[in-house]
Amino acid sequence: MQLTLATWNLLNFIAPPNAAYEMDNILLAEQWQKKQQWVRSHVAALEADIIGFQEIFSDNALDELLQPYGYKLHIVDKPRVRDGYIYESPVVGIASRLPLKRCYPIRVDTETLVSLGLPPPFQFSRTPVVAVVTHPILGDIRCVSIHLKSQRASVDIEGQDPRNIALKLCDSWASTRQRGTEAALLNLQLSQGPDAHLPTVVMGDFNRDLQSSELKALANNGWLHDSWALYQSQQNREILRPATHYHGAVGSVLDYILLTDHFDHNSVECRGRICAYHCIDRHLINPRYEIDSESSDHAIVQVTATLTI
């Protein structure tokens, strides 16, 4: 009678001797074991039915790690090899304990891009994955794992002279534009097609606050709801929303689980109410080196819905 969902940025889940982005990022055997143990302990504690993962490099290793807990990992893309054993462009995935009906990537066809005035070929910075799974009460559920374009600089620009400052602003705007286009096209693709009527979960690292201007298509489309807002609306007191990422001492919410009207207790379509929202962030706010040194720079977000027949 419950459905538990989680979204989790793993922070460069890559098995040695491969490296993420730079050759200095090869984990020692002890570090890799600690990374895997940290993931195992949280998987066991979550008891989630479905987990959306981001920053997967070694998908086979992750799939093998998850199998003893009853999960099957579904991905639709592979990271890119930059040079030998140095990898970039990690992928997203969905791990499910529920039976898979179909799995596919979200891509945008040239005709759609041209009709919107966008120059083809546009590509998502990380290809979103859709997994349609079957729940014994809800039936088919469409689950989407995403990782929108980061705010990190695309190019390394040194110096504070006027030209370099202008170049940094251009680089920042290019990332913002990419992220906003991804959000708009994701909304478009999910709102059409044969699975558009299904109860839907969109989860992942959005890399910006949901209320930012570039994420307007996902925040204000009228058919996707922030799980925190659904949870908060049923509480009799105001609760401070916990941050999911920190830059120095400044926290922000970058990781979200969005849900359709099927999980809105005010909707006639309601099939489940959000009864719990958890932000697993001890490794961020009170880390212990012996446990958390190879953890993640993001919190894990978990929500639970109580279902109605």
Side-chain angles (χ1 to χ4, degrees):
M1 295 303 296
Q2 289 190 328
L3 176 70
T4 299
L5 311 161
T7 183
W8 187 348
N9 184 319
L10 292 165
L11 181 60
N12 298 338
F13 189 86
I14 188 165
N18 295 324
Y21 304 108
E22 304 291 341
M23 63 183 300
D24 293 339
N25 291 337
I26 302 174
L27 295 179
L28 300 174
E30 181 181 349
Q31 292 175 304
W32 175 236
Q33 291 299 321
K34 186 178 283 190
K35 179 82 170 182
Q36 292 181 96
Q37 182 53 39
W38 185 82
V39 174
R40 286 192 193 96
S41 64
H42 283 78
V43 168
L46 284 174
E47 283 288 333
D49 299 291
I50 301 160
I51 307 174
F53 285 110
Q54 301 86 47
E55 297 206 19
I56 304 169
F57 283 103
S58 300
D59 59 285
N60 289 334
L62 182 59
D63 191 34
E64 184 178 340
L65 182 154
L66 293 168
Q67 284 179 15
Y69 302 94
Y71 295 96
K72 176 62 180 173
L73 179 66
H74 309 292
I75 63 169
V76 293
D77 209 352
K78 290 288 186 182
R80 187 164 57 243
V81 180
R82 179 194 293 174
D83 181 19
Y85 55 86
I86 301 175
Y87 285 73
E88 59 186 12
S89 300
V91 303
V92 301
I94 294 174
S96 176
R97 286 175 161 175
L98 302 173
L100 178 73
K101 194 163 188 179
R102 53 187 168 273
C103 181
Y104 54 90
I106 293 181
R107 305 192 195 277
V108 185
D109 61 87
T110 300
E111 183 179 347
T112 298
L113 292 174
V114 171
S115 69
L116 296 174
L118 296 170
F122 173 88
Q123 293 184 342
F124 286 93
S125 52
R126 294 96 169 179
T127 304
V129 57
V130 178
V132 177
V133 298
T134 303
H135 187 275
I137 294 175
L138 289 175
D140 290 347
I141 308 171
R142 180 175 57 169
C143 306
V144 188
S145 181
I146 67 171
H147 190 180
L148 300 182
K149 179 70 176 71
S150 70
Q151 300 179 54
R152 188 182 300 112
S154 301
V155 292
D156 188 15
I157 303 171
E158 300 291 341
Q160 293 298 316
D161 61 273
R163 181 179 183 277
N164 283 346
I165 291 174
L167 285 172
K168 290 176 185 178
L169 290 171
C170 288
D171 184 59
S172 175
W173 169 246
S175 294
T176 300
R177 183 179 61 181
Q178 172 76 17
R179 188 166 51 253
T181 304
E182 289 178 348
L185 290 175
L186 179 68
N187 179 57
L188 175 64
Q189 296 298 95
L190 291 178
S191 63
Q192 58 190 11
D195 294 329
H197 67 288
L198 295 178
T200 296
V201 181
V202 180
M203 48 192 166
D205 178 358
F206 287 43
N207 262 313
R208 278 285 280 165
D209 185 284
L210 188 61
Q211 298 305 319
S212 63
S213 60
E214 64 259 41
L215 299 188
K216 185 181 297 185
L218 293 176
N220 302 315
N221 58 22
W223 64 278
L224 280 175
H225 309 282
D226 183 2
S227 57
W228 171 262
L230 295 177
Y231 172 69
Q232 178 77 356
S233 67
Q234 299 179 79
Q235 309 307 306
N236 55 15
R237 61 188 177 91
E238 284 292 323
I239 305 172
L240 181 64
R241 185 171 195 164
T244 69
H245 184 269
Y246 290 86
H247 183 73
V250 179
S252 55
V253 181
L254 303 182
D255 305 83
Y256 295 89
I257 298 177
L258 308 183
L259 302 158
T260 48
D261 285 346
H262 304 85
F263 301 93
D264 180 2
H265 64 282
N266 290 317
S267 171
V268 295
E269 300 285 341
C270 182
R271 299 290 308 281
R273 296 168 178 254
I274 302 302
C275 61
Y277 180 105
H278 297 290
C279 180
I280 295 91
D281 59 1
R282 188 195 55 77
H283 60 285
L284 299 178
I285 62 176
N286 187 26
R288 290 181 289 176
Y289 179 82
E290 66 276 12
I291 297 174
D292 303 314
S293 62
E294 303 301 332
S295 57
S296 174
D297 57 346
H298 285 252
I300 305 166
V301 175
Q302 177 197 48
V303 301
T304 298
T306 299
L307 306 179
T308 56
I309 298 176

